Structures are given as structure tokens and as C-alpha cells.
């Protein structure tokens, strides 16, 4: 029992460290020269996603729960702590697309799914593959879960007081709406379970799954995040921004539909999961090189981060393949 508790705590710590690395560092936020900023983000990112995993594993809602609670996490960070969902000035996001109900619409469409995938699902998946013996179990006891929740709240407060948009306070109706959305997403994430007997489709080979992940992620990011000097997503102007926003929504829904069918028939393996995540991460870093680096030094730094990331993914891939070979033997 003591050994299991120790392994669980180590796995939780690993997840807490992996999360900000995946969500921010491998995208070029911050650049390598400012890597110390990760220490400020571990409390909200790390403890927040550990809390997501603990709650989902106890509820038994699987990846549906992870994604819904990951979206709730994204609203806590972007809507309540950073308040970037509604800020009229931060990142210039208010000018990306029409504001809807006081929210930066394109920014919200980008960031909430982004956090669900890159702040929650991929870090949890990678940790499960690194520590497979604990993948279906909580890492922590009740006290540890409460502690993670407390650190998460403190991390959100730390992000609020160190916000990069000083002087802005979201209007009370916006804050109330964000809080209500968090509650609804969390409730759904802890109750909704995958339906048995869902129609399945034979999954592609792992390599093809990796290409699928890369194309989907790059296409989604490129459709919503202005880059290359553009003021609006996909170099659009005015109301034409609704075209890439709609395309991104269709891409996300289509990818989710395919993944649900591919994983429903029992033919989806850890190799598929790792290939999918690897493709997504490589595309994510490639997009960061285009959109988030301003100097040659920053580009070189992010390229080095990407190279290290790919080497680590390759090492994990060999471990996953050897485990599969051992089971088949």
C-alpha cells in the first residue's frame, strides 16, 4: 500500500511538471530565455490538471470527462484568472473577430478547446503511458486531492495578481457566466460516460493517426490564431473571419467524431494514442515556430525544445512498443 501511494504521488508530480511544459513551453510560451516563468504556472497548470485527473478517475467518465473538465479548467484560467476571454486589450484578441456577449469570440474558440487538449488530455495521456500500472486509478487519496484543489485555487489567484493586463477587471455578469459555465462543464464531465455499443470504425495505422493529429492541430491553430502579421485569423478582414472560425469548428467536431469511432471497437492501442499525441505536439511546436517567435534566438530555442521533445517521444514510443511485444509474447 505504501509503495502504491509513493508511486501515485510521483506520478502526480510528474503530471504536474509535464502539463505546463506541454501547454506553454513547447509552443514557445515563454521563450527559452524566460523558462523560469514556468515556476509561476506549475501551481495552476500542474495542480489543476492533477485535480482534473483525480476527479475523472473517481467518477469513471474517461476521456469525455477529461475533455469537459479540461474545458472548465480553460475557462477558470482564461476567463476568471487571466480574464483574457473578455479583456478589450490583452493580446489584441478583441480585434480578432466580433465580440459576442462581451467575449472575444475567436480567442474563446481557440483557447477553451486548446486547454482541454493540450493542458489536460495530452499531459494525462503521456503520464498514463509513462506509468501504465496506475492509468485507471487515482494517483492521490482524498487529502491529496483536496491539496491539489487548494494549490490550484492559489495558483489561479497568483495568475490574477500577476496578470499581464493590469487595471482590467471583467464585469460581474462575465465573471458569473464564466463561473456558471465551469460548474456546468464540471458537472457534465463527472456524470457523462461513453455509451456502450457505439458504432466503430477500424482505426488507421499508428503512423496515419500521427499524421491525422498533426494536420488537425495545425489546421485548427492556423484557422484561429493570427500569425505572420495578420490582424485577424487566416488573414481575413471584417466579417470574413467567420469563415475560418466555422472551418475550425467543423474540423474539431469532425476529428472528435472520428476519434470516438476509431476508439470504440477495441482495436485502438497505446501506439495509436502516442502517435496521435506526438503528431499533435509536433504540429503544435511547428506552429509556435511560425507564430510565437520574434527573433532568431527564440526560433533556435524553440527548435531545440522541439528536438528534445521528439527524442523523448521516441524513447516513450520504444517503451510502449516493448510493452506491447511483451504482452503478445
Amino acid at each position: 500500500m505504501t509503495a502504491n501511494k509513493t508511486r501515485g504521488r510521483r506520478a502526480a508530480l510528474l503530471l504536474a511538471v509535464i502539463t505546463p511544459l506541454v501547454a506553454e513551453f513547447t509552443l514557445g510560451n515563454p521563450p527559452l530565455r524566460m523558462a523560469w516563468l514556468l515556476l509561476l504556472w506549475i501551481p495552476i497548470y500542474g495542480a489543476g490538471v492533477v485535480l482534473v485527473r483525480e476527479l475523472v478517475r473517481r467518477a469513471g467518465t474517461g476521456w469525455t470527462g477529461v475533455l469537459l473538465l479540461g474545458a472548465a479548467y480553460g475557462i477558470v484560467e482564461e476567463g476568471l484568472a487571466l480574464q483574457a476571454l473578455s479583456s478589450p486589450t490583452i493580446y489584441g484578441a478583441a480585434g480578432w473577430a466580433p465580440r459576442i456577449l462581451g467575449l472575444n469570440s475567436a480567442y474563446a474558440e481557440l483557447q477553451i478547446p486548446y486547454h482541454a487538449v493540450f493542458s489536460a488530455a495530452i499531459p494525462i495521456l503521456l503520464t498514463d503511458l509513462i506509468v501504465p500500472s496506475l492509468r485507471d486509478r487515482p494517483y492521490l487519496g482524498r487529502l491529496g486531492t483536496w491539496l491539489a484543489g487548494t494549490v490550484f485555487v492559489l495558483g489561479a489567484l497568483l495568475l490574477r495578481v500577476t496578470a499581464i493586463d493590469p487595471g482590467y477587471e471583467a464585469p460581474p455578469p462575465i465573471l458569473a457566466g464564466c463561473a456558471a459555465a465551469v460548474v456546468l462543464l464540471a458537472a457534465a464531465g463527472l456524470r457523462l460516460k461513453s455509451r456502450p455499443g457505439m458504432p466503430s470504425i477500424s482505426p488507421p495505422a499508428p503512423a496515419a493517426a500521427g499524421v491525422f493529429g498533426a494536420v488537425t492541430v495545425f489546421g485548427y491553430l492556423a484557422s484561429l490564431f493570427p500569425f505572420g502579421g495578420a490582424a485577424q485569423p487566416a488573414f481575413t478582414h471584417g466579417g470574413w473571419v467567420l469563415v475560418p472560425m466555422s472551418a475550425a469548428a467543423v474540423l474539431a467536431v469532425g476529428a472528435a467524431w472520428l476519434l470516438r469511432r476509431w476508439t470504440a471497437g477495441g482495436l485502438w492501442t497505446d501506439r495509436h494514442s502516442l502517435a496521435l499525441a506526438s503528431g499533435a505536439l509536433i504540429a503544435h511546436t511547428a506552429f509556435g515556430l511560425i507564430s510565437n517567435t520574434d527573433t532568431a534566438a527564440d526560433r533556435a530555442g524553440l527548435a531545440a525544445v522541439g528536438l528534445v521533445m521528439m527524442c523523448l517521444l521516441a524513447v516513450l514510443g520504444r517503451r510502449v512498443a516493448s510493452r506491447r511485444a511483451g504482452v503478445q509474447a
Side-chain angles (χ1 to χ4, degrees), residues 96-256:
W96 293 5
R99 283 165 61 88
I100 300 175
L101 299 177
L103 298 177
N104 301 324
S105 58
Y107 184 84
E109 184 183 356
L110 171 67
Q111 290 295 335
I112 295 173
Y114 178 90
H115 283 295
V117 173
F118 283 94
S119 298
I122 289 180
I124 289 172
L125 170 64
L126 293 176
T127 309
D128 284 349
L129 292 175
I130 294 169
V131 193
S133 62
L134 299 178
R135 72 170 66 196
D136 297 320
R137 300 172 49 187
Y139 290 150
L140 305 172
R142 293 188 181 276
L143 178 60
T145 302
W146 277 103
L147 180 60
T150 300
V151 174
F152 170 54
V153 171
L154 293 175
L157 293 174
L158 176 64
L159 183 61
R160 181 70 208 130
V161 300
T162 59
I164 60 176
D165 192 19
Y168 174 73
E169 292 291 340
I174 295 288
L175 296 176
C178 287
V182 168
V183 171
L184 290 174
L185 285 168
L190 296 177
R191 293 180 64 87
L192 295 179
K193 298 183 179 181
S194 298
R195 293 174 298 172
M198 179 179 296
S200 64
I201 300 174
S202 295
V211 173
F212 173 81
V215 170
T216 300
V217 165
F218 196 94
Y220 191 83
L221 295 176
S223 296
L224 293 173
F225 187 83
F227 64 96
Q232 290 190 176
F235 301 92
T236 54
H237 298 279
W240 285 103
V241 71
L242 296 178
V243 174
M245 290 176 67
S246 299
V250 170
L251 184 62
V253 171

Side-chain angles (χ1 to χ4, degrees), residues 18-322:
I18 285 176
T19 299
L21 293 175
V22 167
E24 297 286 350
F25 199 51
T26 58
L27 185 63
N29 291 330
L32 190 59
R33 56 190 164 79
M34 299 175 66
W36 59 270
L37 284 173
L38 290 170
L39 296 176
L40 299 178
W41 294 338
I42 285 178
I44 183 170
Y45 273 107
V49 176
V50 167
L51 178 63
V52 165
R53 188 189 183 282
E54 295 305 291
L55 294 175
V56 168
R57 288 295 181 267
R58 285 178 167 80
T61 50
W63 291 110
T64 299
V66 168
L67 291 170
L68 288 172
L69 265 71
Y73 165 86
I75 296 175
V76 170
E77 179 179 326
E78 300 287 348
L80 298 176
L82 194 59
Q83 299 187 1
L85 292 183
S86 58
S87 170
T89 57
I90 195 169
Y91 308 136
W96 293 5
R99 283 165 61 88
I100 300 175
L101 299 177
L103 298 177
N104 301 324
S105 58
Y107 184 84
E109 184 183 356
L110 171 67
Q111 290 295 335
I112 295 173
Y114 178 90
H115 283 295
V117 173
F118 283 94
S119 298
I122 289 180
I124 289 172
L125 170 64
L126 293 176
T127 309
D128 284 349
L129 292 175
I130 294 169
V131 193
S133 62
L134 299 178
R135 72 170 66 196
D136 297 320
R137 300 172 49 187
Y139 290 150
L140 305 172
R142 293 188 181 276
L143 178 60
T145 302
W146 277 103
L147 180 60
T150 300
V151 174
F152 170 54
V153 171
L154 293 175
L157 293 174
L158 176 64
L159 183 61
R160 181 70 208 130
V161 300
T162 59
I164 60 176
D165 192 19
Y168 174 73
E169 292 291 340
I174 295 288
L175 296 176
C178 287
V182 168
V183 171
L184 290 174
L185 285 168
L190 296 177
R191 293 180 64 87
L192 295 179
K193 298 183 179 181
S194 298
R195 293 174 298 172
M198 179 179 296
S200 64
I201 300 174
S202 295
V211 173
F212 173 81
V215 170
T216 300
V217 165
F218 196 94
Y220 191 83
L221 295 176
S223 296
L224 293 173
F225 187 83
F227 64 96
Q232 290 190 176
F235 301 92
T236 54
H237 298 279
W240 285 103
V241 71
L242 296 178
V243 174
M245 290 176 67
S246 299
V250 170
L251 184 62
V253 171
W257 185 88
L258 278 173
L259 284 172
R260 289 288 297 274
R261 268 58 185 178
W262 284 341
T263 57
L267 298 178
W268 187 268
T269 67
D270 284 350
R271 291 181 62 211
H272 288 92
S273 295
L274 180 58
L276 180 73
S278 298
L281 285 167
I282 291 169
H284 169 258
T285 300
F287 186 77
L289 283 167
I290 295 172
S291 63
N292 278 349
T293 54
D294 298 323
T295 67
D298 287 348
R299 284 189 286 274
L302 183 55
V305 168
L307 181 60
V308 171
M309 177 189 73
M310 288 189 289
C311 290
L312 292 174
L313 289 170
V315 171
L316 181 57
R318 286 196 290 271
R319 288 182 59 181
V320 169
S322 66

